[in-house]
Amino acid sequence: MTTRRNFIRQASLLGAGLAVHPFAVKSGLHEVGANDKIRVGLIGCNGMGFADLKVFLDNPEVECVSLADVDEGVLNDKAGQVEKIAGKKPKYLYGDWRKLIDRKDIDLVIVGTPDHWHCLQLVAACETGKDVYCEKPLGNSIEECNIMVRAAEKYNRVVQVGQWQRSDPHWQEAVAFIRSGQLGKIRTVRVFTYLAWCPAIPVKPDAPVPPGVDYDMWLGPAPKRPFNPNRFHFNFRWFWDYAGGLMTDWGVHLLDYVLFGMDVTAAKSVMAAGGKFGYPDSACETPDLLQTIYTFDGFTVLWDHATGIHDGFYGREHGLGFVGENGTLVIDRGGWEVIPETANGVARMEAVPLKKAHGGGGLNLHVKNHLECIKTRNRNCNASIEIGAHIAKFSQLGNIAYRTGKKLSWDGKTFNDAEADALRCKEYRAPWTLPKL
């Protein structure tokens, strides 16, 4: 936990000028009741962070109290948008997220920052007695995920991870069909993400920090590097310092439903191959093509991703195919269907025509689930922190196999390889330190 001395040192080094300990409030001082207003603060106002906030604000019991972002332009723009949505601006706007965390009038923190920030901000929110909605993937390393789970447990916080497909009914219907046994023995699950809208990023020179941006705070615990526009805002996800590419960005959504549908947790082994094959001169560090094979008892899982093209399996750009002896269930965000296997021209089961996704949207239902859990103090959200941590770690296994080039075994704590074990945790840049819980 951050001590007062450490915090003052951080504030001095980062130029924050804060005079009080930001983590002074302890959990249990205030719990949201069934009829209480839920006061929200958002950290990281671009992209999905603000998309999440807008859905929260669709619920009348929610009030946005504060926004925090390192980009002053983004901060002011989103404050104006909140005013249009809710009729009034948030009372408090901060460039330093710790000031938002320090507020006693916030019940729920939405963490919408790049992946490398999630651990510090979620743990700090839990320490101060706040519930958390954290964007996926939960963490940027295996150890960060372990720490966040311990923080939520220790401070009894209600945490929902932004894997909104867990709240989308047609995904749940598909799982029920998979578990019914009608597909017969499932020998493999194909999981794929082919995204034509993610082309190459041309190499750009380093540049001056844009006006109004606290770049040192944006970097936070990540290594010190000159400002480069390729690494900022949306494109952070293609650099190892901050994220894990499509393997973690989409993997936590889709691979999660492999584990859920097959009712399994740990793979026996994992191996991966790929690289910057489509765009070798791209500024991205993460691979534009990757195949990862997870081996379980009795079946395998193939993760297959590519950027810049959209021709995935079954004529879809993303989805899963549960390949059974009698038929294959195919599912994506648009719906699910079953394609029968045939033997000598005879179908082994009846086809299930496409069952389209329900209206209303998974994210809306996901937020409603979180709000209900906050009111009832039920920590078992549809995408609880335990669920989010497990699949984030599972996706990290694929990246670690790729980066080491080895077939790895994982016992839930360590690998069978020292090089892989060294990638379980990120080294934090001073003065930031990995929380100890």
Side-chain angles (χ1 to χ4, degrees):
M1 184 182 299
T2 304
T3 65
R4 181 177 178 84
R5 179 178 298 174
N6 286 340
F7 171 70
I8 292 173
R9 177 170 175 263
Q10 288 179 6
S12 174
L13 287 168
L14 294 171
L18 304 184
V20 295
H21 193 305
F23 309 146
V25 185
K26 295 301 178 186
S27 62
L29 295 183
H30 174 70
E31 299 288 9
V32 175
N35 299 313
D36 288 345
K37 202 78 171 175
I38 297 176
R39 300 162 299 181
V40 174
L42 168 63
I43 304 173
C45 299
N46 244 349
M48 279 305 300
F50 194 72
D52 295 332
L53 177 62
K54 287 194 294 185
V55 176
F56 273 95
L57 289 173
D58 286 339
N59 296 273
E61 67 268 43
V62 173
E63 175 185 0
C64 181
V65 174
S66 181
L67 303 178
D69 200 283
V70 299
D71 189 327
E72 185 178 358
V74 169
L75 186 63
N76 292 330
D77 175 66
K78 300 305 183 186
Q81 290 190 44
V82 170
E83 184 176 23
K84 291 178 182 178
I85 295 168
K88 60 181 179 180
K89 283 187 176 181
K91 292 181 181 179
Y92 310 102
L93 305 180
Y94 300 119
D96 188 327
W97 61 271
R98 294 170 297 183
K99 292 183 179 180
L100 183 152
I101 290 289
D102 196 36
R103 298 209 61 83
K104 297 181 181 180
D105 56 355
I106 292 176
D107 307 302
L108 169 66
V109 173
I110 301 172
V111 176
T113 48
D115 307 355
H116 71 289
W117 264 118
H118 290 183
C119 183
L120 284 169
Q121 292 165 346
L122 183 145
V123 170
C126 290
E127 287 178 340
T128 58
K130 296 168 175 62
D131 298 317
V132 182
Y133 185 97
C134 185
E135 256 311 312
K136 58 78 196 168
L138 180 66
N140 196 32
S141 72
I142 289 173
E143 185 56 26
E144 285 176 331
C145 293
N146 293 333
I147 289 168
M148 286 187 273
V149 168
R150 291 197 290 268
E153 290 176 347
K154 179 177 180 179
Y155 298 105
N156 196 29
R157 295 297 90 202
V158 179
V159 178
Q160 179 93 293
V161 182
Q163 294 161 220
W164 53 263
Q165 289 175 186
R166 278 279 182 155
S167 297
D168 208 334
H170 84 275
W171 291 87
Q172 297 166 356
E173 291 170 3
V175 168
F177 191 96
I178 292 162
R179 293 183 176 182
S180 73
Q182 296 178 64
L183 296 175
K185 168 67 175 174
I186 295 173
R187 63 177 68 175
T188 191
V189 185
R190 300 170 180 146
V191 191
F192 56 96
T193 303
Y194 276 50
L195 300 184
W197 52 266
C198 284
I201 300 174
V203 174
K204 295 180 180 179
D206 295 336
V209 177
V213 172
D214 185 345
Y215 178 59
D216 193 68
M217 179 62 87
W218 186 89
L219 286 173
K224 181 73 173 178
R225 298 188 188 278
F227 179 84
N228 190 289
N230 276 331
R231 290 173 170 259
F232 199 48
H233 288 325
F234 178 85
N235 288 330
F236 75 84
R237 65 199 71 231
W238 314 129
F239 295 90
W240 297 120
D241 287 348
Y242 325 117
L246 282 180
M247 181 83 247
T248 54
D249 194 49
W250 275 71
V252 293
H253 277 308
L254 301 181
L255 288 167
D256 179 43
Y257 263 88
V258 174
L259 304 185
F260 190 23
M262 298 297 289
D263 196 20
V264 293
T265 55
K268 294 171 63 178
S269 66
V270 57
M271 56 185 177
K276 293 173 62 175
F277 295 160
Y279 306 109
D281 299 323
S282 171
C284 300
E285 293 178 347
T286 57
D288 58 46
L289 183 89
L290 182 66
Q291 284 87 38
T292 304
I293 298 177
Y294 297 89
T295 302
F296 291 82
D297 285 325
F299 71 99
T300 64
V301 173
L302 169 66
W303 166 266
D304 184 8
H305 87 231
T307 62
I309 51 179
H310 63 77
D311 189 17
F313 292 105
Y314 315 108
R316 291 165 165 80
E317 72 162 16
H318 76 274
L320 298 88
F322 292 83
V323 183
E325 295 296 313
N326 300 329
T328 297
L329 185 145
V330 181
I331 182 169
D332 62 15
R333 289 179 174 178
W336 67 277
E337 63 182 307
V338 175
I339 304 168
E341 283 289 327
T342 59
N344 299 318
V346 179
R348 293 179 176 174
M349 65 180 297
E350 290 188 11
V352 177
L354 181 66
K355 293 182 174 291
K356 293 185 178 180
H358 299 258
L363 181 56
N364 295 328
L365 295 171
H366 207 50
V367 166
K368 289 183 182 297
N369 171 254
H370 193 203
L371 292 173
E372 183 61 29
C373 287
I374 288 171
K375 294 172 189 176
T376 59
R377 307 313 302 165
N378 176 12
R379 293 189 61 242
N380 295 317
C381 301
N382 286 349
S384 67
I385 193 165
E386 290 81 9
I387 289 170
H390 185 69
I391 196 59
K393 291 189 289 185
F394 191 82
S395 299
Q396 286 285 341
L397 299 185
N399 272 341
I400 292 172
Y402 164 72
R403 297 181 75 179
T404 61
K406 300 173 181 177
K407 183 177 181 179
L408 301 172
S409 296
W410 168 255
D411 65 6
K413 294 183 179 180
T414 60
F415 291 99
N416 61 331
D417 180 83
E419 182 185 5
D421 270 336
L423 295 174
R424 286 182 299 147
C425 190
K426 298 282 187 178
E427 184 176 343
Y428 277 26
R429 179 176 69 107
W432 304 100
T433 59
L434 192 69
K436 293 179 172 58
L437 285 165

